[in-house]
Amino acid sequence: MPKAAIFDLDGTLLDSVDLHALAWQEAMLKFGHDVSFEQVRGQIGKGGDKLIPVFLSDDEQLDHGKDLEEWRGNRFKTEYLPLVRPFSAVPDLLRRVRDAGLQIAVASSAKKDEVEMYLDIAGIADLVHLKTSSDDVEESKPAPDIFEFVLKKLKLEGADAVAIGDTPYDAEAAGKAGITTIGVLCGGFAESSLRQAGCVEVYPGPAALLALFEHSLLRK
């Protein structure tokens, strides 16, 4: 049985993917980049260090990459963060994981201050043993840095943990750290994409994972 469950936040525990995509699209347009909502949405799950290079050249990144990311962050906090809601059964799922004897960590590509607010919104701050963000590592997902950081902090090997995420980037990053991933569909990615990236099990969302908890990788 695993010793730790490592949860993503955006799109996994919180219904926030569309809101992030809107903020990024608005930022792109403001700085002169004609990028569609669909194009941006497909990149949500990466940190800004991985998302921005998809749409900006090296010169553009040097010129206004940091300003664009800062504008995006302020826009999200003022306009969209108040609209973020947790998916159903999120606190119940984490309590079930905790009661099964697993340590709980969150590994998010969000900034540290966003992670803190997310935990409060989801009502899970008191259930999480370790919270991490893109500020803790050099590279965000799909690089394995954040999962390796969690394993080091918890003093575990990759085989001792299970990751839970909604994007191929979660599964890719976890896999590079030797961690098996459970996928959830509530972030909008297709089951085929999640399985191709390495997800061994896929559930509709947190409530379904809770309902089938005894049969999941979290109990094997």
Side-chain angles (χ1 to χ4, degrees), residues 129-143:
H129 298 100
L130 176 65
K131 52 195 175 185
T132 64
S133 70
S134 60
D135 295 328
D136 294 313
V137 294
E138 288 189 14
E139 293 188 57
S140 65
K141 304 169 191 173

Side-chain angles (χ1 to χ4, degrees), residues 84-165:
V84 173
R85 296 292 182 271
F87 291 114
S88 61
V90 165
D92 293 331
L93 172 59
L94 267 66
R95 275 192 287 270
R96 184 70 187 85
V97 172
R98 180 195 62 185
D99 292 347
L102 282 74
Q103 296 186 79
I104 297 172
V106 294
S108 174
S109 291
K111 298 292 186 181
K112 182 177 180 180
D113 56 347
E114 292 178 2
V115 169
E116 296 285 355
M117 290 183 279
Y118 284 159
L119 297 179
D120 289 337
I121 290 170
I124 58 173
D126 61 331
L127 298 171
V128 174
H129 298 100
L130 176 65
K131 52 195 175 185
T132 64
S133 70
S134 60
D135 295 328
D136 294 313
V137 294
E138 288 189 14
E139 293 188 57
S140 65
K141 304 169 191 173
D145 298 28
I146 198 160
F147 286 106
E148 293 172 345
F149 180 84
V150 170
L151 292 175
K152 183 177 180 180
K153 286 288 186 180
L154 295 180
K155 298 180 180 178
L156 297 174
E157 299 295 326
D160 295 324
V162 173
I164 303 91

